[in-house]
Structure formats: structure tokens, C-alpha cells
């Protein structure tokens, strides 16, 4: 029996503490559509995507906030086509009072063309939106380490 030959990420499931708050955030920031939703008490969930492609599932089955010191998800990254899209999303995030890990768009590493913004969702889950080119090739926030490490 051979291993999977065609492999790509399907969707990512995230635990959230407040479905309404998280739905509002992910719809506003990423322009996701609610593809399906479960509203039963104690079993809240939502499938979010674009153009009939499932990208994120939200599960309201947790308490507290994201813990970067615990095993599991490190961060979730989304690639866009242009730095203009990164900048436009940063403006939306600022209007929502979102916490950023770094001030503005930063390169992925020393002199890198790729870069983006690094921020958290309402539950503290670390997120990234980046473009493969167009970042100011200035010094990275942490010399000698990838910026997406959230160092």
C-alpha cells in the first residue's frame, strides 16, 4: 500500500470560547462565509470558507485562552497575493482593536522579500497574513530567527 500521493491541507479546526465573537472576527477579517453551522446548546460549531472551499472550523468547546507554551497549534498562516491585501487587512484588524505581535508589516527574516502581519484572534490564537513578495527587506524583528516563530 502506498502513501498518500496527493496531499494538501484540508481545513483547520480551532477551539473557541465564544462562537458569536469568533464568527464576527473571522468573517470580518477574512471575509469567510458560514458554510454550515450547529447551534445546539453545548454543541456549537461553524464551518467557514470561501467559494465553496472549507478552510476553518470553529468549535465552541474550550475555556481560557490560547497557550503558546502548550503542545499543539503554533500559529495559523494565510497567504495573500499582494502586500496591499496585507495592509488592508491590517487596517481592519486595527479598527477591531486586535493585538499585533510586531508593529506593522515585517519581513519573514533578515532581508526577506516575503513578510506580513502577526496577530491574535479573540481567544489569543496566533495568526499570520503574508505576501510572498513586497515586504520591506529591512531587519527582521528578531535577528537570526524566523518572524513566524513569534519570538
Amino acid at each position: 500500500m502506498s502513501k498518500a500521493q496527493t496531499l494538501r491541507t484540508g481545513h483547520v479546526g480551532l477551539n473557541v470560547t465564544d462562537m458569536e465573537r469568533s464568527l464576527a472576527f473571522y468573517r470580518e477579517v477574512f471575509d469567510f462565509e458560514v458554510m454550515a453551522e450547529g447551534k445546539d446548546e453545548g454543541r456549537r460549531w461553524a464551518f467557514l470558507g470561501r467559494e465553496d472551499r472549507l478552510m476553518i472550523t470553529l468549535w465552541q468547546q474550550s475555556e481560557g485562552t490560547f497557550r503558546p507554551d502548550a503542545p499543539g497549534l503554533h500559529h495559523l498562516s494565510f497567504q495573500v497575493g499582494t502586500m496591499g491585501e496585507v495592509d488592508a487587512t491590517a487596517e481592519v484588524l486595527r479598527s477591531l482593536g486586535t493585538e499585533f505581535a510586531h508593529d506593522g508589516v515585517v519581513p519573514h527574516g533578515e532581508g526577506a522579500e516575503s513578510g506580513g502581519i502577526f496577530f491574535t484572534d479573540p481567544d489569543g490564537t496566533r495568526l499570520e497574513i503574508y505576501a510572498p513578495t513586497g515586504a520591506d527587506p529591512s531587519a527582521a524583528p528578531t535577528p537570526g530567527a524566523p518572524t513566524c516563530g513569534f519570538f
Side-chain angles (χ1 to χ4, degrees), residues 10-14 16 18-38 44-59 76 78 121-122 127:
H11 68 274
V12 175
L14 299 175
V16 301
D18 181 326
M19 184 61 72
E20 295 309 318
R21 178 181 69 173
S22 292
L23 274 174
F25 178 85
Y26 281 91
R27 292 182 78 191
E28 179 71 21
V29 173
F30 297 99
D31 201 27
F32 285 142
E33 304 164 14
V34 177
M35 301 174 76
E37 188 172 10
R44 298 282 319 266
W45 55 270
F47 289 175
L48 306 177
R50 286 182 170 184
E51 301 171 3
D52 295 324
R53 181 169 175 236
L54 176 62
M55 297 180 75
I56 299 281
T57 59
L58 302 177
W59 306 95
L76 179 56
F78 295 92
D121 78 357
L127 302 168

Side-chain angles (χ1 to χ4, degrees), residues 7-148:
L7 185 64
R8 72 179 211 190
T9 302
H11 68 274
V12 175
L14 299 175
N15 282 337
V16 301
T17 59
D18 181 326
M19 184 61 72
E20 295 309 318
R21 178 181 69 173
S22 292
L23 274 174
F25 178 85
Y26 281 91
R27 292 182 78 191
E28 179 71 21
V29 173
F30 297 99
D31 201 27
F32 285 142
E33 304 164 14
V34 177
M35 301 174 76
E37 188 172 10
K39 297 183 177 187
D40 293 341
E41 186 64 36
R43 297 180 119 185
R44 298 282 319 266
W45 55 270
F47 289 175
L48 306 177
R50 286 182 170 184
E51 301 171 3
D52 295 324
R53 181 169 175 236
L54 176 62
M55 297 180 75
I56 299 281
T57 59
L58 302 177
W59 306 95
Q60 185 175 304
Q61 55 185 23
S62 62
E63 296 178 5
T65 60
F66 178 81
R67 287 192 37 214
D69 64 340
L73 180 72
H74 181 272
H75 75 284
L76 179 56
S77 176
F78 295 92
Q79 179 180 328
V80 296
T82 67
M83 201 52 68
E85 292 173 88
V86 175
D87 291 333
T89 305
E91 287 304 312
V92 171
L93 290 163
R94 282 186 195 93
S95 75
L96 296 173
T98 302
E99 182 179 330
F100 287 81
H102 307 289
D103 186 29
V105 173
V106 294
H108 276 132
E110 297 295 321
E113 283 275 333
S114 65
I117 53 176
F118 301 84
F119 56 98
T120 59
D121 78 357
D123 287 304
T125 300
R126 298 184 298 191
L127 302 168
E128 168 188 5
I129 295 178
Y130 77 97
T133 61
D136 179 5
S138 60
T142 306
T147 305
C148 60

